[in-house]
């Protein structure tokens, strides 16, 4: 007996890296979550919220449980929200932009500097298909420090303990335990493990 083809939802297809067109009937489901994210980020970024309030709004935005060790300085911007995954003791500074339709994963103790852009979605190169998008996940390892105004492109993994210098554009995977900087980001040196600290 032949196996039946499993029809994947538009969300599953997007997370699998397939091309998504805004003209698909199912795209309305994505658009609904985009509109919800706009409402919740407006709530987060308006007025003053104590840390518990920030965590509560962020939990609603990501549709997940947020650990009590999570810290953030709003404002914060996202196009989707529900594909952001946060570990313990993560810190996100102000004015960050997370385009998370492809999935953004921040492991424990990750530090995200001000004005960082994590961009999981790209448009198609062909001029007549440019409205269509393709998304790939970004993985930020444990104890990674991303400096201010860094841009990380779709599909990138940054290994544990590494540092990305301010203003860098990360176009390729970064191994663990290195310092990178520049546009495109390149390895400057390895991180010296000072056991006395």
């Amino acid at each position: 007996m032949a196996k039946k083809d499993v029809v994947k939802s538009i969300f599953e297809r997007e997370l699998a890296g397939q091309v998504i067109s805004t003209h698909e009937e199912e795209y309305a489901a994505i658009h609904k979550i985009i509109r919800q994210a706009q409402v919740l980020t407006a709530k987060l970024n308006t007025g003053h919220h104590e840390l518990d309030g920030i965590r509560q709004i962020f939990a609603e935005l990501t549709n997940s449980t947020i650990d009590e060790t999570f810290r953030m300085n709003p404002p914060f911007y996202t196009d989707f929200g529900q594909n952001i995954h946060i570990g313990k003791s993560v810190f996100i500074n102000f004015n960050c932009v997370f385009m998370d339709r492809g999935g953004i994963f921040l492991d424990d103790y990750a530090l995200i500097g001000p004005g960082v852009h994590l961009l999981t979605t790209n448009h198609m190169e062909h001029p007549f298909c440019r409205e269509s998008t393709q998304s790939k996940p970004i993985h930020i390892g444990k104890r990674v420090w991303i400096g201010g105004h860094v841009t990380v492109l779709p599909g990138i993994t940054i290994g544990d303990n590494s540092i990305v210098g301010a203003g860098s554009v990360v176009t390729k995977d970064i191994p663990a335990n290195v310092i990178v900087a520049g546009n495109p980001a390149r390895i400057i040196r390895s991180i010296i493990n000072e056991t006395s600290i």
Side-chain angles (χ1 to χ4, degrees):
M1 179 185 290
K3 290 183 180 179
K4 289 184 178 179
D5 288 335
V6 177
V7 178
K8 293 184 177 180
S9 73
I10 196 166
F11 300 111
E12 292 170 312
R13 288 174 44 228
E14 182 153 64
L15 289 174
Q18 294 182 17
V19 175
I20 302 297
S21 171
T22 57
H23 301 294
E24 295 181 49
E25 188 175 331
E26 263 197 300
Y27 188 80
I30 289 178
H31 187 70
K32 181 178 179 181
I33 295 175
I34 289 171
R35 296 289 292 167
Q36 179 183 344
Q38 290 170 346
V39 170
L40 290 169
T41 52
K43 180 179 177 182
L44 178 66
N45 297 336
T46 304
H48 174 75
H49 303 281
E50 296 297 335
L51 197 47
D52 285 344
I54 290 170
R55 288 190 196 106
Q56 184 177 1
I57 297 168
F58 200 74
E60 190 176 354
L61 178 63
T62 60
N63 194 30
S64 65
T65 301
I66 299 298
D67 192 83
E68 62 182 10
T69 58
F70 172 73
R71 295 176 296 130
M72 170 191 277
N73 290 331
F76 173 82
Y77 304 94
T78 182
D79 67 332
F80 197 75
Q82 294 191 14
N83 291 334
I84 299 172
H85 308 277
I86 303 286
K88 294 180 179 179
S89 297
V90 168
F91 173 66
I92 300 173
N93 217 329
F94 61 88
N95 276 333
C96 289
V97 175
F98 285 18
M99 295 184 69
D100 66 293
R101 282 172 50 188
I104 292 175
F105 301 83
L106 303 183
D107 287 348
D108 298 348
Y109 304 100
L111 300 175
I112 310 299
V116 167
H117 287 56
L118 304 181
L119 312 175
T120 68
T121 300
N122 204 353
H123 290 273
M124 306 313 296
E125 182 178 308
H126 193 287
F128 295 102
C129 301
R130 206 158 282 165
E131 286 185 7
S132 296
T133 58
Q134 185 175 32
S135 300
K136 297 178 182 176
I138 291 174
H139 294 264
I140 308 297
K142 293 178 181 176
R143 295 171 300 279
V144 167
W145 173 18
I146 299 183
H149 295 280
V150 166
T151 298
V152 180
L153 298 183
I156 299 297
T157 294
I158 300 176
D160 293 350
N161 307 316
S162 286
I163 298 171
V164 182
S168 298
V169 178
V170 183
T171 62
K172 294 182 180 178
D173 288 351
I174 304 297
N177 302 303
V178 296
I179 298 173
V180 302
N183 180 6
R186 289 182 169 84
I187 295 174
I188 305 300
R189 64 175 173 85
S190 295
I191 293 175
I192 300 168
N193 186 9
E194 296 285 354
T195 57
S196 61
I197 296 177

